[in-house]
Amino acid sequence: MRSWTDTLRFAFQPVVNLATGGVAGLEILARPETGDILADARRDPELDGQLAVLAVRAAARRETLLPLHVNVFAGTLADLGGLTPLLHAVREVGRLPWEITLDVGPPYTHVPHQALLEALAKLRGQGFRISADGVGDGDVPLRLLVDMSPDLVKLDASLLVRPSAVRAMRTLCDELGALLCVEGVETELQYAAALSAGAQLAQGTLLAPPSRLPAAEVYVPPRSPADAAPLRSGPSVREFVRPAALLPATASAGQVRALLTGSPDVSGVLLVDREGVPFRSVHRSRFLLSMSGRYGHALYADRPAAKLGDPPRTVGIDATAWEVLDVVAVGDRDRTSDDVAVVDRFGRCVGVVRLADLVRALSETRVEEAAGLNPLTRLPGSDAITGEVDRRIAAGRTFALSWLDVDHFKQVNDGAGFAAGDELIRAVGRALQHAATGTARVGHIGGDDFLVLTDPEELAPLAASVLDAPWAAGGRPVTLSLATVVCLPGGVADHREAAACLAPLKKAAKALSGASWVVGRAGLPGHEIRRGTGPQAPSAGYAVAEPGRG
């Protein structure tokens, strides 16, 4: 009698890195010839655990080096308290637990959350990576999602029609230290939406459909400035991580040679100890050159490959792209093309980054940033600030948006000359940039007008450092006006509404004498006068000032 395992097949679907266009991993999907084994597995934790084991063994038969995504139901983990057979299977096929991401999927209804969290902690301690699957289309509670602290969040593509929700999820992922993946991408429009919302990974039939053989190539639509996801200053190394080719520290040179000759896309091999910590880095070209010498194969084939390797270059998973460049810059110039190993907080390798990916992305970022800089101060224009305002609104963050300008600036230019006026503007820009710490962002939107975006607690020291300074142009004393609107979550819909709230506050600040500062709150009338002389505030601390200064 045929067993159900005889009719079970597995398909592989790539998970694509949107920054590099490369395959970051393979999700293994059960494909029974008859029946609905997934429905059975949802009700039977032991069966679900068996499917996970069979998935890993199926991938081993395909001899893929890529990291794997294995599906498991949340109820299975809570019921079994972990997946010990899966750990044994991973070791049997010569893989490492941190090469395996468990895609934990719904339903979560009636799943005991504490038992699930304890099982996840056990699996994470064994080295497995955790993904929260089916978010946006499943029933995972937000509190549980935060408590799970996943390494990856898989968002259903149906949520792309609500970009603010996707951006909010990206912000949450950043707080959790997780990557955001959109699954089920079927159209180029969805692909562009995933990019613009800040997703780092994606999978779907557009990129590559599930197939019996692991895909070597995927389709990635060409990127344009209009649909490219904005790279922040100092992008995270997480956005550029590629799968690493790993072998045990005891591997022979012959084993490394077999891996490299059978995998032409692999640029190097990392030798890792039993815990997965990088021990030696073997560069493809240098290694094959040594092996191809007159007596190379005879000398090295059976000897430890570590003798032909170099100390690995490593960065933490929370490093920025610029920190990777620093690691490369201080080393041997002959190793600038070496992959840099990315390690987790335990020192275990989770992938590699290639210098070419970083240089290309950072160059594009600098070109885009330069195009938006004000030529006088070299500060970003309004687009950069308003874009960040919209991101904070989508994330539900409280923020303060301020408008600063020079009082009577036309008279300054007429009296002191344009050169003195330009130097004053540059000096104010430098002062704002120097005072902007933490999450503060400064933009020069033209003329003598600046925008400053901060957290509310960053306001007072920034205002003091700029307003207390003695300003002059051509020997003439000059004062500045600062207007601030504080926006609470839900207080404004977008940057346009925030700017509309700010406009009357600017007029109120200009109505005061001397260096002035007024603060208002979006949705509430009036404002608080914190600096400047003129109309006095009522006892409640707010006053509505009439415009008086130009």
Side-chain angles (χ1 to χ4, degrees), residues 131-362:
S131 166
D133 200 1
V135 176
D137 193 43
D139 61 344
V140 55
L142 186 58
R143 179 175 177 177
L144 177 61
L145 178 63
V146 174
D147 289 343
M148 288 172 64
S149 189
D151 302 286
L152 177 68
V153 171
K154 284 193 171 183
L155 200 65
D156 190 83
S158 62
L159 211 59
L160 291 173
V161 298
R162 298 174 178 84
S164 61
V166 183
R167 288 194 295 269
M169 186 56 66
R170 167 62 195 268
T171 301
L172 175 61
C173 287
D174 288 345
E175 293 291 331
L176 296 175
L179 294 177
L180 179 61
C181 175
V182 176
E183 55 183 352
V185 175
E186 298 178 351
T187 68
E188 294 199 10
L189 188 62
Q190 288 180 321
Y191 173 85
L195 272 176
S196 63
Q200 296 116 328
L201 303 168
Q203 61 184 126
T205 55
L206 172 72
L207 307 170
S211 63
R212 292 293 175 85
L213 293 176
E217 296 182 1
V218 295
Y219 169 71
V220 178
R223 298 178 64 165
S224 66
D227 63 14
L231 285 173
R232 299 168 181 158
S233 178
S236 170
V237 74
R238 295 171 183 266
E239 300 181 25
F240 307 97
V241 174
R242 291 175 176 265
L246 305 177
L247 284 176
T250 55
S252 68
Q255 289 174 296
V256 172
R257 183 176 184 274
L259 190 157
L260 291 175
T261 54
S263 307
D265 293 334
V266 173
S267 55
V269 176
L270 286 173
L271 305 178
V272 296
D273 64 17
R274 290 180 60 85
E275 300 301 320
V277 177
F279 170 69
R280 282 289 185 271
S281 173
V282 180
H283 184 267
R284 180 187 188 91
S285 297
R286 293 198 300 274
F287 174 84
L288 292 179
L289 185 62
S290 298
M291 291 290 287
S292 62
R294 186 173 182 181
Y295 302 108
H297 190 272
L299 284 173
Y300 297 114
D302 296 324
R303 299 182 67 185
K307 293 185 177 297
L308 295 176
D310 299 289
R313 291 174 167 176
T314 62
V315 295
I317 190 65
D318 295 320
T320 67
W322 293 109
E323 290 174 296
V324 179
L325 294 187
D326 289 340
V327 169
V328 174
V330 299
D332 188 342
R333 292 184 179 180
D334 293 337
R335 297 187 60 194
T336 53
S337 62
D338 287 21
D339 293 340
V340 176
V342 181
V343 298
D344 64 13
R345 62 191 180 93
F346 301 107
R348 302 177 304 207
C349 181
V350 297
V352 296
V353 289
R354 294 181 180 175
L355 183 63
D357 290 337
L358 299 184
V359 171
R360 180 170 58 252
L362 292 174

Side-chain angles (χ1 to χ4, degrees), residues 410-458:
K410 184 177 185 303
Q411 297 176 25
V412 172
N413 268 344
D414 291 345
F418 288 107
D422 286 350
E423 180 52 39
L424 173 64
I425 295 302
R426 281 192 288 265
V428 171
R430 287 193 297 268
L432 284 171
Q433 208 168 12
H434 179 74
T437 59
T439 63
R441 298 283 302 277
V442 177
H444 183 192
I445 60 176
D448 62 321
D449 293 316
F450 295 87
L451 279 180
V452 183
L453 177 63
T454 65
D455 287 342
E457 59 269 20
E458 298 170 334

Side-chain angles (χ1 to χ4, degrees), residues 44-184:
D44 185 347
E46 295 288 348
L47 175 59
D48 194 30
Q50 268 188 284
L51 287 178
V53 169
L54 292 173
V56 169
R57 288 175 177 164
R61 288 194 295 272
R62 299 300 184 186
E63 296 183 347
T64 176
L65 295 172
L66 289 166
L68 305 175
H69 288 247
V70 177
N71 291 285
V72 62
F73 291 110
T76 296
L77 298 180
D79 189 80
L80 299 180
L83 290 174
T84 302
L86 178 64
L87 179 62
H88 294 328
V90 168
R91 289 173 172 168
E92 285 171 7
V93 300
R95 300 300 293 260
L96 299 169
W98 36 95
E99 296 179 272
I100 312 296
T101 298
L102 296 177
D103 286 358
V104 184
Y108 289 86
T109 303
H110 307 307
V111 172
H113 291 177
Q114 187 57 39
L116 172 61
L117 294 175
E118 289 174 1
L120 292 177
K122 179 179 179 180
L123 290 162
R124 187 175 279 113
Q126 293 169 344
F128 290 104
R129 303 179 75 237
I130 305 299
S131 166
D133 200 1
V135 176
D137 193 43
D139 61 344
V140 55
L142 186 58
R143 179 175 177 177
L144 177 61
L145 178 63
V146 174
D147 289 343
M148 288 172 64
S149 189
D151 302 286
L152 177 68
V153 171
K154 284 193 171 183
L155 200 65
D156 190 83
S158 62
L159 211 59
L160 291 173
V161 298
R162 298 174 178 84
S164 61
V166 183
R167 288 194 295 269
M169 186 56 66
R170 167 62 195 268
T171 301
L172 175 61
C173 287
D174 288 345
E175 293 291 331
L176 296 175
L179 294 177
L180 179 61
C181 175
V182 176
E183 55 183 352

